[in-house]
Amino acid sequence: MKRLDRLSNCNCSDRLDREAEQYKSIYFTPDSLAEAKKAATSLCRLVTDVVTNKLDNGFAIIRPPGHHAEPGMAGGYCVINNIAVAAAYAREKMNVKKILIVDWDVHHGNGTQSIFINDADVLYFSVHRYHGGNFFPFLRSSGPNTVGTGEGEGYNMNVGWNSKGMGDNEYLQVWDKILMPIAKEYQPELILVSAGFDAAQDDMGECHVTPDGFAKLTRQLMTLADGKVVCALEGGYVRRVLCNCVENVVKTLLDRNSVKRTAVMEEELSNQDGSLLTRMAGATVTTTTTNMERVINSSAAKSIRDTISAHQKYWKCLQRDDAIG
């Protein structure tokens, strides 16, 4: 960071390029560090307003993104890990005790994972393309068996897709089978979302999540932490697609009746067979807790089961007989 501070005062493109060559998928301009600092600090201001109830929730449309950045290590277009800075700020300055970070970017947030890998007060949850470590950031540690270390064991969760083409039903099943039960058991006080949209239909991630799908994921998160949800933009590279996805998420955050409608739907469906979230997604096939393959492909179902298996011993909600499905 100190080197970047010094380079910020220089217009020598050769020196900036040499600095960037030390990292994966990064480039620098004289303004890079200043812009990265603005992104992180603006997110902290938004978190302050949400935690102090000046705002119900929020979406920080910031760049550069952050979730690949590790301490002292830029990468993947990321200079400062915005979401990690915001989490640390909320804990140190706002006295927030427990934070859930949800990362739905198509790439694993290796930086965020490394920062909180041994921290039980931050639950990191990522769903991303994995392919056995053969998808960016090309790390085996992006898989389901990386569960955290030390005091943070059980508080790092990865659902890693091993095939492309995952869409709304697959992501909603992840929410239904893993994220929402665990979040309700964990009881976070603040939800931070690494909101990348490169898993969207027609973006570069070769997945098929729709703008409405992202809205449904957001609506579920709004039932947690008294609705204190703060999203921060990560990936998303096709402007037309990105615009539609962000718009749908923001509309959901602004809809005060959204959570009430979700609660009513939960109550109506609670005594019926089938997965709540799959029904909410508009699936035409009824699914039971023991037969995910009726709604999602077998590779996705295996990825979900692998994560459940890795975390069953840590979470009571995953220890019931039908948890694996």
Side-chain angles (χ1 to χ4, degrees), residues 172-222:
L172 287 163
Q173 283 286 304
V174 170
W175 260 231
D176 194 22
K177 295 290 192 291
I178 308 177
L179 177 56
M180 294 305 295
I182 284 177
K184 289 173 182 177
E185 184 173 333
Y186 184 62
Q187 290 291 300
E189 298 173 18
L190 175 67
I191 314 296
L192 300 177
V193 183
S194 275
F197 295 97
D198 37 10
Q201 177 81 42
D202 298 325
D203 207 301
M204 61 166 287
E206 297 182 287
C207 287
H208 303 301
V209 184
T210 66
D212 187 55
F214 284 115
K216 287 184 171 71
L217 302 180
T218 304
R219 190 171 295 120
Q220 288 297 304
L221 296 179
M222 291 170 66

Side-chain angles (χ1 to χ4, degrees), residues 118-130:
N118 61 356
D119 194 334
D121 296 325
V122 177
L123 172 58
Y124 177 63
F125 186 96
S126 178
V127 53
H128 52 271
R129 285 183 64 183
Y130 174 54

Side-chain angles (χ1 to χ4, degrees), residues 46-48 50-51 56 86-87 89-91 94 96-102 121 123 186-193 224-230:
L46 178 58
V47 166
T48 297
V50 171
V51 171
D56 294 333
Y89 179 85
R91 293 167 67 189
M94 309 301 298
V96 177
K97 301 300 185 185
K98 292 198 293 185
I99 297 171
L100 168 63
I101 297 176
V102 178
D121 296 325
L123 172 58
Y186 184 62
Q187 290 291 300
E189 298 173 18
L190 175 67
I191 314 296
L192 300 177
V193 183
L224 305 168
D226 294 325
K228 296 184 187 302
V229 177
V230 177

